[in-house]
Amino acid sequence: MSSSYLVLPVLIPLLAGALSLLFWRSHTAQRWLGVMATGALLWTAVLLLLLTWREGIQVVEIGNWPAPFGIVLVSDLLGAIMVVLTGITGFATALYSLTSIPKQHEKYGYYPLLHLLLAGVCGAFLTGDIFNLYVWFEVMLVASFALIILGGERAQMEGAIKYVTLNLFSSALFLSAIGLLYGLVGSLNMADVADKLSQLSGEERGLVSVISLLFLVAFGIKAAAFPLFFWLPASYHTPQVAVSAIFAGLLTKVGVYVLFRFYTLIFIDDTDLTHTILLWMGILTMLVGVLGAAAQFEFRRILSFHIVSQIGYMILGLAIFTPLALVGGVFYIMHHIIVKANLFLVSGLVYRLRGSYQLKDLGGLYRSHPWLALLFLIPALSLAGLPPLSGFFAKFVIIRAGIEAEQWLAVAVALLVGFLTLYSMIKIWNEVFWKAVPEGASCTPRIYHPQSEKLGMYYLPIIGLATMTVLIGIAAQPIYELAEAAAAQLLDPRLYIDAVLGERP
Amino acid sequence: MEVVMAVVVGILYATALYMMLRRSIIKLVIGLVLLSNAANLLLFTAGGLTSGAPALIPEGMSALPPGAVADPLTQALILTAIVISFGVLAFAVVLIHRAYEVVQQDDMDEMKDTDR
Amino acid sequence: MNGKSPTKMESSLILRAAGHFLLPLLVLFSLFLLLRGHNEPGGGFIAGLVAASAFALYTFSMGLKSARKTLRADPRDLMGAGLTLALLSGVPAMLQGQPFLTALWWPLTLPLLGEVKLSTVLAFDIGVYLVVIGSVLTIVLNLAEAEENAEWKS
């Protein structure tokens, strides 16, 4: 039955989505179904990770069609880790949604879309087929399109048009690249493609580089890397905060994950070209993101720009391409998803209490809600990289890898961006929590469920994620070892290829 | 044949980009439609063109018939891609309809509130 | 709309007349396509599109209200039921220890029809059929509704 662990992370959210569609008349049933399904997703994901950790890369040939002809689901450690993180974010969001999603949104299918989104994300993490990856990307995108316009406010429409256009553009590039790749090697199974590309003759190498750059642009847009990130800060602050949180935690990371997968498994011949471009992408992404955040005075927009800047660190980890740097990149993804989703959830709670995201309208929350202030500080300082929180180790590993690889510019920028991130977080701290309530600021709490609301349901996921941040910091050693093992698998593509296609002489 | 297809695909991409760069959101969606069609045609062409040979093995034969046979995989891929772009573009049409209702504008330049 | 009932869109006589008898014909044809898709060109997706376009045509000719009435089920229910069916069709294989979605066949010999092959593939196809009808009609009916609301306002 080991094969079912691979299928369940995709099957559970899809089935939950179908059932929530059937129960669309009962909001209560949908809410609790959401919590149960994401809980089950988290549980199976952890089991999958344990299985992969103990027994190596797991492969299932869907429908019993043998690879490379059929579609395979593959779980190596990186994929399994990502699925666990999806489970964590999904579970936290489902809990948070219990009281934070207005009835109107539930009526228009919030829960089915949420499950569909999670299914798409898990599918993208587990698939071993490039075209299937495209399908999961589209599943994820359709769900996210609909989630981003739920509510139908003007800002959401404007944000959604940019989001939809640029993501569809990137999908078209992705599809074109798939076409060219298929024309070149005649296969779309990732392991098979990697195997065949390594045997290509010299003349066709040039075309491989073109294809790899086309993929780079497509996934660069999805991952919101410089200079292709403009859709993100234009749209992520517009939907409901639970939606923002799951977008911030997961969606761009799918792009990053695919970059990790493609540029450690498939396009590894021309690293002088691709990884140099990745390096500059990483550096500029970090810098531009953090500078953009410095100029913002809206809670969620600041956080959105910080997503961009943090993506830079992960790409940097991939671009340096030493074992240590990859460990740093994987560690950074783990830390970032939890911290970023949590920060958005905190901003939602602030909005619930004060009815605004504008820093100038907020203030005095430290006096009235000291525990909330603490719960903000944990992820915020972790994001900036202060010890002993999770972000410190993530940044430390990447910067150390940079020093060892003698990428001095990257190291300098990474350190500088750390300071600027701290500046941004202190700005939020000062404005939202520390300063007195500004005069004339309207304070209208946003309560969506007046009868049944319990503030504890807002706090519960925030506390859970903050605890995880602290734990990753305190118990960094086992997490580091996990990241190390995942990076070791990434650096040896033969493992992946043999697991999928079987050992060949 | 490949050359003709390549030119057609190129023209489609160029038209799509031109339409997407216009300020009207209707033209933007038309551009997206053309873009997805261009990508599908590219996939079709790059997968190898064969004419007059269907992707079927005659009944009773266990191996490939001699001569060229069309590749069924590209057709399957394109069918899937068409289905997906159908769904996504149907959504895009709903989106611009709603956006037009809310913003009362067909001009992208008027939709920059979220960029500030 | 000078006092006319907003629930009925303006449509030509020809369209109204055609809509009446095209609907059952097209739905029947879609079922034919669905079952034929087993071994020959056809299948759940195309059949679903044909059925959905039949109902879309009916919506244009007879108006939203009567279309909803003729459809009986809410499109969202169709989508949910179809998706559930399609996903569950992959589960029997898992219970037998084979990978998800492996096709299983149960040939049956019925008195009049001869040999009938029941399979998980058929269940999957019917699921797809329902999902396609459901999702296309959700979009079409929503758009038609928005259109009628706009007419109501003007």
Side-chain angles (χ1 to χ4, degrees):
Chain A
M1 282 302 283
S2 75
S3 73
S4 58
Y5 287 122
L6 262 171
V7 179
L8 285 177
V10 183
L11 189 60
I12 289 174
L14 274 180
L15 206 55
L19 289 178
S20 346
L21 267 177
L22 283 178
F23 291 123
W24 62 271
R25 290 174 190 85
S26 162
H27 296 171
T28 323
Q30 284 189 40
R31 280 179 217 150
W32 290 107
L33 183 68
V35 173
M36 280 190 296
T38 48
L41 170 65
L42 178 57
W43 177 243
T44 47
V46 170
L47 289 180
L48 177 65
L49 179 61
L50 287 176
L51 187 74
T52 317
W53 172 257
R54 274 201 307 268
E55 294 175 19
I57 298 175
Q58 299 291 313
V59 181
V60 173
E61 289 161 344
I62 292 293
N64 227 353
W65 297 100
F69 306 111
I71 290 170
V72 287
L73 293 185
V74 187
S75 127
D76 66 344
L77 276 174
L78 178 63
I81 290 170
M82 299 305 285
V83 175
V84 171
L85 291 166
T86 311
I88 293 172
T89 325
F91 190 51
T93 314
L95 280 178
Y96 197 84
S97 306
L98 288 177
T99 51
S100 75
I101 295 296
K103 285 225 170 63
Q104 194 63 15
H105 293 218
E106 288 176 335
K107 192 180 149 218
Y108 281 108
Y110 170 76
Y111 283 102
L113 290 168
L114 180 69
H115 291 303
L116 195 64
L117 182 78
L118 288 174
V121 172
C122 286
F125 288 148
L126 288 178
T127 184
D129 182 279
I130 300 176
F131 191 78
N132 196 232
L133 179 70
Y134 169 78
V135 174
W136 289 121
F137 256 114
E138 297 302 297
V139 167
M140 191 174 92
L141 283 180
V142 169
S144 67
F145 293 165
L147 280 173
I148 212 167
I149 60 162
L150 270 186
E153 284 164 29
R154 180 178 171 142
Q156 287 181 300
M157 292 302 164
E158 296 186 4
I161 285 188
K162 292 155 200 164
Y163 179 84
V164 168
T165 310
L166 280 167
N167 274 294
L168 284 183
F169 182 66
S170 129
S171 293
L173 286 185
F174 186 7
L175 192 60
S176 312
I178 288 177
L180 293 174
L181 186 64
Y182 182 72
L184 188 64
V185 296
S187 174
L188 286 175
N189 180 294
M190 287 186 202
D192 199 31
V193 169
D195 197 35
K196 285 190 170 139
L197 279 182
S198 62
Q199 296 161 7
L200 272 188
S201 64
E203 291 163 20
E204 284 156 327
R205 299 259 170 208
L207 196 52
V208 177
S209 294
V210 172
I211 295 171
S212 78
L213 290 183
L214 209 50
F215 275 119
L216 189 61
V217 175
F219 297 135
I221 296 179
K222 306 261 187 208
F226 179 88
L228 313 160
F229 64 88
F230 293 99
W231 56 272
L232 192 149
S235 59
Y236 268 28
H237 63 288
T238 56
Q240 281 294 313
V241 79
V243 177
S244 283
I246 204 157
F247 281 19
L250 292 177
L251 291 198
T252 47
K253 257 56 75 184
V254 181
V256 174
Y257 162 82
V258 179
L259 284 176
F260 266 72
R261 173 68 71 227
F262 273 50
Y263 291 90
T264 59
L265 176 67
I266 299 176
F267 300 115
I268 43 172
D269 280 336
D270 201 1
T271 45
D272 280 350
L273 175 68
T274 51
H275 288 65
T276 312
I277 295 177
L278 279 170
L279 185 72
W280 282 102
M281 260 167 86
I283 292 174
L284 289 170
T285 309
M286 285 193 290
L287 203 59
V288 173
V290 86
L291 291 179
Q296 295 297 327
F297 295 94
E298 207 256 27
F299 204 153
R300 285 199 287 175
R301 272 181 74 84
I302 298 177
L303 295 179
S304 302
F305 270 104
H306 275 295
I307 301 175
V308 176
S309 126
Q310 307 282 312
I311 294 288
Y313 280 98
M314 299 167 208
I315 294 180
L316 190 63
L318 172 63
I320 296 174
F321 206 52
T322 60
L324 190 64
L326 279 180
V327 176
V330 175
F331 198 115
Y332 210 103
I333 296 177
M334 289 196 257
H335 135 78
H336 172 83
I337 290 182
I338 291 171
V339 162
K340 201 61 181 192
N342 202 8
L343 280 172
F344 270 91
L345 294 183
V346 171
S347 80
L349 185 49
V350 169
Y351 183 67
R352 151 70 184 79
L353 296 168
R354 288 290 142 95
S356 173
Y357 288 113
Q358 297 295 338
L359 294 189
K360 65 175 171 22
D361 297 336
L362 293 164
L365 271 172
Y366 177 70
R367 189 170 288 256
S368 56
H369 298 80
W371 287 103
L372 177 61
L374 178 70
L375 285 172
F376 168 73
L377 269 190
I378 292 174
L381 294 182
S382 176
L383 192 76
L386 258 61
L389 296 162
S390 59
F392 167 71
F393 294 101
K395 282 200 170 65
F396 176 73
V397 177
I398 287 190
I399 287 172
R400 193 164 152 211
I403 292 173
E404 279 181 12
E406 302 187 344
Q407 299 286 358
W408 303 114
L409 180 67
V411 171
V413 170
L415 285 171
L416 175 70
V417 170
F419 283 118
L420 288 173
T421 310
L422 188 60
Y423 157 72
S424 258
M425 290 301 125
I426 289 178
K427 181 169 83 182
I428 297 180
W429 167 260
N430 276 341
E431 297 280 323
V432 177
F433 294 95
W434 199 247
K435 81 172 183 214
V437 183
E439 288 191 20
S442 62
C443 170
T444 43
R446 300 294 164 116
I447 306 170
Y448 296 119
H449 300 279
Q451 296 94 26
S452 62
E453 189 192 53
K454 292 184 195 66
L455 263 185
M457 293 317 285
Y458 280 95
Y459 277 108
L460 194 63
I462 297 178
I463 293 174
L465 292 178
T467 316
M468 243 174 256
T469 313
V470 176
L471 280 182
I472 294 179
I474 295 173
Q477 186 63 25
I479 305 287
Y480 180 82
E481 276 165 16
L482 183 62
E484 207 172 18
Q489 276 186 357
L490 287 179
L491 275 173
D492 188 0
R494 223 43 255 178
L495 281 177
Y496 188 98
I497 296 171
D498 287 345
V500 175
L501 299 179
E503 299 271 349
R504 275 188 292 189
Chain B
M1 194 61 193
E2 275 86 354
V3 178
V4 179
M5 289 299 282
V7 172
V8 170
V9 170
I11 292 174
L12 273 176
Y13 271 108
T15 329
L17 282 180
Y18 176 73
M19 292 301 257
M20 285 173 72
L21 293 174
R22 306 296 298 271
R23 280 160 61 177
S24 153
I25 43 175
I26 306 283
K27 286 175 183 147
L28 173 71
V29 169
I30 296 175
L32 287 174
V33 175
L34 288 176
L35 191 67
S36 72
N37 284 340
N40 284 336
L41 270 184
L42 177 68
L43 183 55
F44 185 59
T45 317
L49 296 175
T50 39
S51 63
L56 295 170
I57 300 174
E59 212 170 346
M61 272 178 91
S62 58
L64 281 176
V69 177
D71 180 357
L73 187 66
T74 31
Q75 300 179 13
L77 297 183
I78 292 168
L79 181 63
T80 317
I82 289 174
V83 171
I84 290 172
S85 56
F86 162 73
V88 173
L89 291 169
F91 173 82
V93 171
V94 176
L95 172 68
I96 62 160
H97 184 257
R98 286 275 162 80
Y100 181 74
E101 275 180 354
V102 174
V103 186
Q104 294 291 328
Q105 278 287 348
D106 183 37
D107 188 350
M108 289 298 285
D109 278 8
E110 299 295 319
M111 299 195 180
K112 57 190 180 196
D113 288 356
T114 61
D115 280 330
R116 285 192 198 121
Chain C
M1 286 257 84
N2 49 34
K4 271 187 193 163
S5 153
T7 49
K8 228 173 212 172
M9 277 183 270
E10 297 273 312
S11 60
S12 76
L13 180 67
I14 299 174
L15 191 59
R16 275 207 302 274
H20 251 312
F21 72 90
L22 272 180
L23 176 73
L25 222 62
L26 281 173
V27 171
L28 204 63
F29 181 59
S30 80
L31 287 175
F32 165 70
L33 277 178
L34 169 69
L35 296 175
R36 178 187 140 96
H38 222 47
N39 283 324
E40 279 171 276
F45 180 75
I46 308 171
L49 273 187
V50 170
S53 57
F55 277 102
L57 187 67
Y58 194 76
T59 314
F60 295 146
S61 58
M62 312 303 289
L64 185 61
K65 219 175 185 175
S66 57
R68 277 200 200 278
K69 219 160 102 192
T70 320
L71 187 62
R72 295 225 172 90
D74 191 283
R76 275 176 283 189
D77 285 333
L78 289 180
M79 230 194 303
L83 198 54
T84 317
L85 185 63
L87 288 172
L88 289 182
S89 77
V91 174
M94 266 162 83
L95 296 180
Q96 293 197 2
Q98 282 172 310
F100 183 62
L101 277 179
T102 306
L104 296 177
W105 302 79
W106 300 282
L108 278 182
T109 318
L110 292 183
L112 283 173
L113 295 165
E115 196 188 40
V116 175
K117 283 183 189 161
L118 288 180
S119 66
T120 52
V121 184
L122 184 65
F124 186 82
D125 245 4
I126 295 174
V128 171
Y129 178 72
L130 292 178
V131 172
V132 172
I133 298 183
S135 44
V136 173
L137 284 183
T138 308
I139 293 174
V140 169
L141 295 185
N142 272 334
L143 277 179
E145 201 164 32
E147 195 73 6
E148 288 194 356
N149 286 342
E151 275 177 29
W152 178 249
K153 273 179 206 151
S154 63

